[in-house]
Amino acid sequence: MALNHTYEARLLQQETTVGAGVQVLLLTLLGTAIGMGPAGWLTGLAFALATWAVLTRAVLRSRLSSFGPANRVTLGRAILVGGVTALVADSFESAPPVTVFVGLTAVALILDGVDGKVARRTGTSTALGARFDMEVDAFLILVLSVYVSMALGPWVLLIGAMRYVFVAAARVLPWLNGELPPSMARKTVAAVQGVALLVAASGLLPYAAGAGVVGCALASLVWSFGRDVLWLWSVRGGTVVEISADVVVEPVAELVAGG
């Protein structure tokens, strides 16, 4: 059993190491294609190193027997997010090519709907996979909000920061770590954030229209978080709330930015 566990651990480490290597390859391609500056390189490499370290530690602690196809999809998304992060960091010196930026971001957003389906169809859903997916989603929204805020104003940062503020608040107010019933509205609001920020980042809309789209996305996010906070407040201390028998309650920690 000990030998099997050692073998499985090595395989898991190989998966995360390959992911880090592919991340560096993507950064090299971006650097060659657009002449990425030091800020982009350093940020991208820091992202690759942090992702490798955190993910390797997490998979080893989870004692998974295999990395799984769904986690590979999420890792691919994380690699794309690393590229987007590098481009955003580089944009403080020079604007990245819109087609490259939009292309990487669009693929990362599209794949967001793939990993969950793969996990369900292959029967490989895990708590680690859900958390990995959540963190990649949240970080992409944060990075996009930073990029869009340079054009529309710092208020856009509220979109990216809201989930992290919620997590920080939950450390002070434990009742925020309660359980929430699944909600299609919550999932829809979460998906809208990335799409709205991508549309604004593309530069296809005039300033007023872009601000309107992002403003509506922010308003829906505030509504979603506000509704969930009120629900958690109402059931704090173990108050019983009737939920139909076929509803599975999800931990707040597994929900992405209101999703």
Side-chain angles (χ1 to χ4, degrees):
M1 291 297 290
L3 289 176
N4 286 339
H5 178 64
T6 300
Y7 177 70
E8 291 168 356
R10 288 177 179 174
L11 289 179
L12 293 173
Q13 287 178 310
Q14 288 177 5
E15 296 265 11
T16 58
T17 301
V18 168
V22 175
Q23 179 73 84
V24 173
L25 177 60
L26 176 60
L27 294 174
T28 302
L29 292 174
L30 290 175
T32 302
I34 69 173
M36 195 162 57
W41 273 106
L42 291 174
T43 303
L45 291 173
F47 180 92
L49 179 60
T51 301
W52 172 81
V54 173
L55 185 58
T56 298
R57 183 172 182 268
V59 296
L60 293 179
R61 290 183 63 184
S62 67
R63 295 181 177 273
L64 296 177
S65 58
S66 66
F67 196 66
N71 284 335
R72 293 190 185 101
V73 175
T74 308
L75 181 57
R77 285 177 49 227
I79 291 169
L80 294 175
V81 172
V84 173
T85 301
L87 291 178
V88 171
D90 196 57
S91 70
F92 287 93
E93 298 178 354
S94 61
V98 175
T99 52
V100 175
F101 183 84
V102 170
L104 289 177
T105 304
V107 174
L109 290 173
I110 291 171
L111 289 177
D112 184 26
V114 174
D115 47 12
K117 292 180 180 179
V118 171
R120 288 188 291 272
R121 289 182 180 180
T122 59
T124 55
S125 299
T126 63
L128 172 64
R131 183 62 183 269
F132 186 23
D133 176 61
M134 174 189 70
E135 296 299 343
V136 172
D137 288 344
F139 194 78
L140 176 58
I141 297 302
L142 176 62
V143 170
L144 289 177
S145 67
V146 170
Y147 183 75
V148 175
S149 71
M150 289 187 281
L152 299 184
W155 60 271
V156 181
L157 295 172
L158 292 172
I159 293 178
M162 199 170 298
R163 182 254 172 180
Y164 294 100
V165 170
F166 183 89
V167 171
R171 293 181 178 275
V172 180
L173 304 171
W175 55 268
L176 288 174
N177 286 314
E179 297 178 331
L180 288 169
S183 167
M184 183 56 65
R186 187 188 305 119
K187 294 180 184 294
T188 301
V189 167
V192 164
Q193 306 308 307
V195 175
L197 289 170
L198 177 59
V199 169
S202 69
L204 296 176
L205 300 178
Y207 177 88
V213 168
V214 177
C216 288
L218 175 58
S220 69
L221 189 62
V222 171
W223 168 80
S224 181
F225 268 103
R227 185 187 64 161
D228 288 344
V229 168
L230 289 175
W231 193 91
L232 291 169
W233 172 261
S234 71
V235 299
R236 71 193 187 286
T239 303
V240 177
V241 176
E242 291 186 3
I243 303 176
S244 62
D246 60 342
V247 173
V248 179
V249 176
E250 302 179 70
V252 174
E254 300 300 326
L255 302 175
V256 184

